[in-house]
Amino acid sequence: MLRIRSLSKYYGARAAVNDVSLEVGQGELVTLLGPSGCGKSTTLRCLAGLEIPDSGEVWLQDRLLAAPARRVQVPPEQRRVGMVFQSYALWPHMSVLENVSYPLRSQKRPRQEVIKRARDALELVGLSGYEGSQPGNISGGQQQRVALARALASECSLLLFDEPLSNLDVHLREQMRSEIRDLQARLRITTIYVTHDQSEALAISDRVAIMQDGAIVQVGTPREVFERPATEFAATFLGKVNLLHAAATGKREADLREQFRLAGGGEVHVHTGGTGGPSAEGTAVRVGLRAELIRLSRNAPAAEKNVWKARVERAVFFGDGIDYMIAIPVGRLRVRTPPYDQFRVGEEVFASIAPEHCFIVGSTPQPARQEEVSR
Amino acid sequence: MRWRRAGPGETLLSVLLLVVLAVLVIYPLVSLIYGSIRSSPPGTGEPAYTVEHFLRIFMDPHFYEAWRNTLLLSASATLVALVFGLPATFLIARTDIPYRSFAEVLVLIPLFISPFIGAVAWTGLGAPRVGMLNRLLAFLGLPWEVNIYGVWGMALVLGFYMVPFVYLFTSGPMKAIDASLEEASRLSGRNALQTTLQITLPLITPSVLACTLLIMVLSMENFGVPAVLALPSRIPLVPTEIFVRFSYPPADYGYATVVALSLIAVTGIGLLLQRRIIRTASYAAITGRGYRVAPILLGRWRWVAVAILGAYMVATILLPYGVMMLASFQAYWTQEFTAFTLDNYRSVFTRGLLVRATENSLLLAVFGACVATALAACIAYVVQRSRAPGRSWLDFMATIPIGIPGMVLGVALLWAWIAVPLEIYGTIWILLIAYITRFLPFGVRNVSAALTQVGDELESAARVSGATQWRTAVTITLPLVRNNVLSSWVIYFIEFLKELNMSVLLYSFGSVVIPVVIFDLYTEGRYPEVAALAVGLSVLILVVLAISSRFFRIRISPLG
């Protein structure tokens, strides 16, 4: 169980981590997701003790690891935290076994036990037989596994991953991703995983925390953050999204479909989920339509809601799909179709989307950050 | 320009350079071997061949004593350099110690002032009776006496002068270490000190080993420090042994030549080992894309660290040079101070010997640096940028002088040029040849390094635009490597100005140079005049260095 309370870290006047609070349950894997410079790595390093936060608290189980206000700052070597670095950080002057047993050797355990545990950790990641190898002589994927074994060997209560897969090629990345997830779930280690890759985050996590400018803008299960992004940033960061300006009409049907008036004219129906009543009439919102979920057809679709006449303006073939830019009466939409849905540029088509596939985000999604600077 | 064949122009240039290098490098080495088996002194008698010199020396206990002293000196000087150099480098390269950039300049200063001048300065402090330290001890009524003359004194002085090499070799690797390697160790339960010892130090071991070997070799072949601190007390060392047999009557050239051969054999092996280490054992390949190397925060230890570093700088630079400066304004250097005088400086302009030495030194430094730079630039160009035949030979031959100690090259040049019926041996020209040969590798490497940084395509673009190869070389290539060419010139200028090892063997009455005069006056015991000359020389070097580093970035590279 990990608790982060109002964690902040400044570089000069700039807040690299801005009032981050997060609770992670025992055995849970939470991803910090965001673009480079969003503060996710700095947050992770504050957990490891490699950065000293300026305010806030970090608790691991019942142990206070960092609390500047109380002058608590446990050095990294006393935190019993395992970490897998982006560059793997394998010591080139030690063999694979020496690397993995290194954390154990500081724990004053009998030599036999140290060796056994290190071997067990290597077996866990499928590297039995590589004990004597030098890190420089094994492949990138194997180096990754050694780094993982080293982090696991010390039986830490918190496991940290700092973009561990970004140096691997695509195929290896997917394989390692599922292996890390399987191991983590089997060993039930509380884990924080930092990445800028949205599909990696969605695939691996119990929950995803989306970060922007040092702050967490949304936390939720992969499905929640994907289907109901809280902010414009969260929406656009997780895939290709069209955002349309709209105003609430205050009307909601029994099946929870709410009506919004689009800025350019016409209406859009959105399945807003069950929470609370409909938005007050006139509330400005943005309606999000995912490019993959918009359908194009030559004939008018059977549905009567969320259907627009459109004209194809541009088509780009990507192999596994086609990217269209279409013009509808209220603006332009980006649409991603399967590769066999072929339309010519200039062709008149119908575009439609199910209300369940639409979402709304508030129109002032930018988190406040300027006020924090002058603390 | 990989696609084209060698043009006639570049082939001609390559052949010409091969001939020049054969004369400068290969010919003296062959002459040295020839000299070692020649029965009569150079330039006399009918040549007859003999192994008598070898037999004579291998039976001589004096020879072994010289080697034992030299190895002891070399090992202890290296130890001193590492003990002072590694912590200083770590502080400057890896921590948030205050005045870092200033400290970085200071730690490199000894590189530009020769150990010879340093040794002269140190005698002002540590000579028995008249040294300032001994005067201070006597003043305080303490019964101890410091004596800088001897192996331990030499080891200290030489060690201090080798500290820059430790810095040059290890600061880069220390800075380049992927920070996550150390962070991973912290997370594995090791504190900062354990991490430094178990992770950081082993990671830079190859660099430490490489500079250890280089420093051992440089300490072995150094003549300046033993000339000042060992000759007066008659402690035999290999370089001084060469000098004594060569210069003190009755000269024993055969003996000097064989000692020189033994020296080049040992230093050669040392340098070959060193190059192997540099080439093979490098962990640098594994340093990944780390987060960033943050300086280690020393906290309240910052000021303790800067005080220790400062004390080191004061003790090794300020004190000896301050005392030497003081001495240069004294009429005599005795236990009592005399009135302030400028006579010592005036004599540079009035005494015939000093005037001649100054003229010769400046001529050699300015003109010699021009010739050496031009030669080095041409060699680097042909090696890096042409398809001319024999360019790998050129590269190889231009590297050889790294392994030839100055004293050995001096002896070799005697054998090579004394019998040549040209006005070379015994004139200033033999010094010019000696200087250029000895220091050629530095300029070649410096310009080569710059050329490898400049992509082919810039030159290809010029050729496609209609420029000839020579026009391209002059208008495109040369301006692009301009800074390295100019910095080579500056380094040559400084090295030539302070060269003692070869000069002391090859000078004659008309071709005397400043370092030789300093050495001679020192032997005569005229310390104030020596001090004035040494101060003048050091100031000149530092001024040139300061001016040139303002105008273009000097790239300092170890000569070894």
Side-chain angles (χ1 to χ4, degrees):
Chain A
M1 169 91 177
L2 172 75
R3 261 178 304 158
I4 306 170
R5 283 190 189 153
S6 301
L7 192 75
S8 292
K9 168 77 186 171
Y10 294 84
Y11 291 123
R14 192 178 70 86
V17 178
N18 190 353
D19 197 20
V20 163
S21 296
L22 186 67
E23 295 217 357
V24 182
Q26 176 60 44
E28 193 182 15
L29 191 157
V30 173
T31 301
L32 302 181
L33 173 68
S36 64
C38 73
K40 56 191 191 300
S41 282
T42 309
T43 306
L44 194 77
R45 290 167 62 82
C46 285
L47 302 183
L50 299 172
E51 296 284 350
I52 300 171
D54 291 309
S55 60
E57 290 181 358
V58 177
W59 292 81
L60 184 59
Q61 270 108 18
D62 296 330
R63 203 166 154 228
L64 184 59
L65 293 185
R70 294 199 233 169
R71 297 188 166 276
V72 175
Q73 174 65 31
V74 177
E77 62 266 26
Q78 291 169 19
R79 293 196 175 195
R80 306 220 26 197
V81 163
M83 183 160 170
V84 177
F85 291 82
Q86 185 175 11
S87 59
Y88 316 143
L90 300 183
W91 301 297
H93 59 295
M94 297 182 190
S95 70
V96 164
L97 188 69
E98 286 170 329
N99 264 282
V100 175
S101 60
Y102 188 80
L104 295 163
R105 276 182 274 147
S106 69
Q107 295 174 0
K108 307 250 185 321
R109 294 169 191 262
R111 206 183 134 66
Q112 291 296 319
E113 193 196 329
V114 167
I115 301 288
K116 187 183 173 306
R117 280 173 182 273
R119 284 181 188 280
D120 289 348
L122 280 172
E123 197 183 329
L124 214 52
V125 298
L127 273 186
S128 293
Y130 285 90
E131 287 85 353
S133 306
Q134 294 297 314
N137 299 335
I138 57 178
S139 70
Q142 290 167 332
Q143 291 179 4
Q144 170 73 74
R145 286 161 201 267
V146 176
L148 184 58
R150 181 175 68 189
L152 293 171
S154 60
E155 296 189 325
C156 49
S157 43
L158 176 65
L159 196 51
L160 306 174
F161 289 89
D162 189 5
E163 308 232 5
L165 305 181
S166 59
N167 285 344
L168 298 178
D169 64 52
V170 182
H171 296 292
L172 209 49
R173 200 179 300 168
E174 285 176 9
Q175 187 191 341
M176 281 309 295
R177 185 171 77 195
S178 57
E179 283 186 31
I180 288 175
R181 178 55 168 163
D182 289 348
L183 265 177
Q184 185 271 338
R186 188 142 57 92
L187 302 173
R188 289 194 53 76
I189 307 176
T190 309
T191 302
I192 304 288
Y193 189 104
V194 159
T195 181
H196 63 268
D197 183 328
Q198 40 127 343
S199 56
E200 192 171 303
L202 296 178
I204 207 170
S205 317
D206 292 316
R207 282 188 300 151
V208 177
I210 297 172
M211 290 190 71
Q212 180 192 13
D213 295 326
I216 292 181
V217 293
Q218 187 177 10
V219 188
T221 64
R223 237 174 208 291
E224 280 166 9
V225 295
F226 188 79
E227 292 181 348
R228 297 273 172 263
T231 70
E232 191 180 324
F233 172 80
T236 50
F237 194 72
L238 288 174
K240 296 174 276 290
V241 169
N242 299 286
L243 286 171
L244 302 174
H245 288 283
T249 59
K251 280 186 254 174
R252 187 163 70 167
E253 289 162 41
D255 56 1
L256 299 175
R257 288 175 186 176
E258 227 175 296
Q259 269 183 42
F260 293 88
R261 197 175 306 110
L262 287 169
E267 287 181 342
V268 62
H269 296 255
V270 180
H271 190 285
T272 51
T275 51
S279 311
E281 186 177 353
T283 311
V285 296
R286 294 192 130 197
V287 177
L289 314 174
R290 290 204 177 272
E292 300 87 349
L293 300 177
I294 300 174
R295 301 233 179 284
L296 297 184
S297 56
R298 294 205 167 81
N299 304 318
E304 54 209 58
K305 282 165 185 162
N306 296 354
V307 177
W308 297 278
K309 291 199 77 160
R311 207 173 66 85
V312 177
E313 290 199 328
R314 202 185 66 200
V316 181
F317 179 62
F318 274 96
D320 58 349
I322 306 177
D323 244 22
Y324 290 102
M325 185 64 79
I326 60 169
I328 59 171
V330 295
R332 285 203 172 81
L333 293 181
R334 193 173 162 198
V335 182
R336 178 86 171 192
T337 70
Y340 44 79
D341 277 1
Q342 290 188 42
F343 302 94
R344 291 185 316 278
V345 171
E347 195 173 342
E348 299 286 335
V349 294
F350 290 94
S352 62
I353 186 166
E356 291 76 17
H357 292 158
C358 303
F359 57 87
I360 56 168
V361 293
S363 58
T364 51
Q366 293 295 322
R369 53 187 153 142
Q370 293 308 317
E371 302 88 84
E372 284 297 317
V373 170
S374 55
R375 57 183 177 127
Chain B
M1 292 186 209
R2 303 274 174 259
W3 38 269
R4 62 185 175 78
R5 286 194 296 175
E10 59 188 32
T11 306
L12 187 69
L13 182 62
S14 171
V15 169
L16 199 68
L17 292 171
L18 278 171
V19 170
V20 169
L21 282 192
V23 172
L24 287 182
V25 180
I26 307 300
Y27 173 54
L29 287 179
V30 174
S31 305
L32 184 71
I33 294 167
Y34 164 78
S36 71
I37 53 171
R38 197 173 193 268
S39 59
S40 53
T44 59
E46 283 296 301
Y49 303 105
T50 173
V51 292
E52 180 247 333
H53 301 310
F54 286 91
L55 292 177
R56 200 152 53 96
I57 280 167
F58 293 144
M59 305 296 278
D60 185 359
H62 199 67
F63 173 74
Y64 295 104
E65 196 193 338
W67 262 113
R68 204 174 54 239
N69 285 337
T70 294
L71 291 177
L72 177 66
L73 169 63
S74 160
S76 42
T78 307
L79 195 67
V80 169
L82 290 175
V83 164
F84 286 94
L86 283 176
T89 307
F90 185 82
L91 285 178
I92 296 172
R94 290 301 308 277
T95 71
D96 64 337
I97 190 166
Y99 314 118
R100 269 163 79 174
S101 46
F102 186 57
E104 192 167 13
V105 173
L106 276 187
V107 88
L108 288 177
I109 289 268
L111 202 62
F112 299 100
I113 301 169
S114 67
F116 167 59
I117 301 294
V120 169
W122 273 91
T123 59
L125 269 177
R129 284 188 310 106
V130 296
M132 280 304 284
L133 284 177
N134 287 320
R135 287 195 222 178
L136 189 68
L137 288 171
F139 177 76
L140 296 172
L142 296 169
W144 304 307
E145 192 183 63
V146 181
N147 187 355
I148 194 87
Y149 297 98
V151 172
W152 301 114
M154 283 192 279
L156 269 184
V157 174
L158 208 46
F160 292 149
Y161 275 82
M162 297 297 166
V163 164
F165 289 98
V166 179
Y167 184 83
L168 285 174
F169 268 78
T170 58
S171 68
M174 271 192 207
K175 286 179 194 165
I177 288 175
D178 181 350
S180 60
L181 290 174
E182 291 163 328
E183 291 168 356
S185 166
R186 295 298 297 277
L187 288 169
S188 301
R190 306 303 198 282
N191 63 31
L193 184 66
Q194 288 168 323
T195 298
T196 301
L197 294 179
Q198 293 172 14
I199 303 296
T200 316
L201 208 56
L203 285 176
I204 60 161
T205 299
S207 323
V208 173
L209 225 57
C211 83
T212 301
L213 272 171
L214 178 71
I215 292 172
M216 289 186 79
V217 167
L218 290 176
S219 310
M220 244 179 249
E221 66 185 51
N222 180 279
F223 171 71
V225 172
V228 174
L229 299 178
L231 271 184
S233 45
R234 298 178 186 276
I235 302 168
L237 286 155
V238 172
T240 50
E241 211 45 29
I242 295 174
F243 168 74
V244 167
R245 302 287 170 158
F246 195 98
S247 301
Y248 288 2
D252 187 345
Y253 293 109
Y255 196 103
T257 305
V258 176
V259 176
L261 272 180
S262 75
L263 180 60
I264 195 176
V266 173
T267 57
I269 291 168
L271 287 175
L272 282 180
L273 273 177
Q274 192 239 9
R275 304 201 106 201
R276 262 185 85 97
I277 290 170
I278 289 180
R279 245 204 331 269
T280 56
S282 172
Y283 294 132
I286 306 186
T287 58
R289 281 151 278 188
Y291 188 75
R292 88 185 92 95
V293 183
I296 294 165
L297 304 178
L298 293 174
R300 61 202 138 108
W301 293 101
R302 276 180 96 210
W303 298 101
V304 178
V306 82
I308 293 172
L309 200 61
Y312 168 76
M313 303 280 184
V314 167
T316 60
I317 298 176
L318 203 61
L319 269 187
Y321 281 92
V323 169
M324 188 163 75
M325 199 95 94
L326 183 72
S328 72
F329 295 112
Q330 299 273 299
Y332 303 98
W333 189 243
T334 62
Q335 278 162 294
E336 301 297 321
F337 286 106
T338 59
F340 180 90
T341 173
L342 284 174
D343 287 348
N344 300 315
Y345 287 96
R346 244 177 243 130
S347 63
V348 175
F349 302 102
T350 52
R351 265 181 64 181
L353 177 74
L354 293 188
V355 174
R356 198 162 61 244
T358 308
E359 283 170 3
N360 285 340
S361 276
L362 287 176
L363 177 71
L364 279 169
V366 173
F367 178 65
C370 291
V371 177
T373 307
L375 184 61
C378 286
I379 292 171
Y381 181 82
V382 171
V383 169
Q384 295 292 334
R385 281 296 196 264
S386 80
R387 304 286 289 167
R391 60 187 195 288
S392 54
W393 276 98
L394 207 54
D395 193 26
F396 176 66
M397 285 206 286
T399 315
I400 294 178
I402 292 175
I404 314 178
M407 300 302 284
V408 178
L409 188 59
V411 175
L413 287 173
L414 162 85
W415 288 106
W417 292 97
I418 194 159
V420 175
L422 293 169
E423 290 275 320
I424 291 177
Y425 193 82
T427 70
I428 200 169
W429 300 112
I430 192 72
L431 292 182
L432 185 72
I433 288 174
Y435 292 1
I436 291 174
T437 308
R438 175 76 182 92
F439 296 108
L440 192 62
F442 166 76
V444 174
R445 273 212 255 170
N446 196 358
V447 180
S448 281
L451 283 173
T452 54
Q453 299 288 313
V454 176
D456 278 3
E457 68 278 3
L458 295 178
E459 290 165 354
S460 301
R463 298 299 297 280
V464 172
S465 308
T468 63
Q469 183 177 9
W470 302 120
R471 198 179 143 75
T472 305
V474 172
T475 59
I476 305 293
T477 317
L478 191 61
L480 286 171
V481 298
R482 177 178 153 270
N483 275 7
N484 288 55
V485 171
L486 290 176
S487 68
S488 298
W489 190 91
V490 173
I491 301 291
Y492 278 140
F493 177 86
I494 293 171
E495 288 294 338
F496 292 1
L497 212 50
K498 68 186 201 193
E499 210 293 325
L500 173 70
N501 297 12
M502 296 177 292
S503 316
V504 80
L505 295 180
L506 298 173
Y507 86 99
S508 60
F509 182 71
S511 61
V512 70
V513 289
I514 294 175
V516 171
V517 171
I518 295 179
F519 175 60
D520 278 348
L521 291 176
Y522 180 82
T523 319
E524 292 166 28
R526 295 156 68 165
Y527 192 65
E529 274 176 274
V530 166
L533 272 175
V535 168
L537 189 61
S538 308
V539 168
L540 177 61
I541 287 173
L542 292 181
V543 165
V544 168
L545 204 60
I547 291 174
S548 52
S549 63
R550 273 197 78 87
F551 287 104
F552 43 86
R553 201 175 62 89
I554 295 264
R555 188 177 155 278
I556 307 157
S557 159
L559 288 171

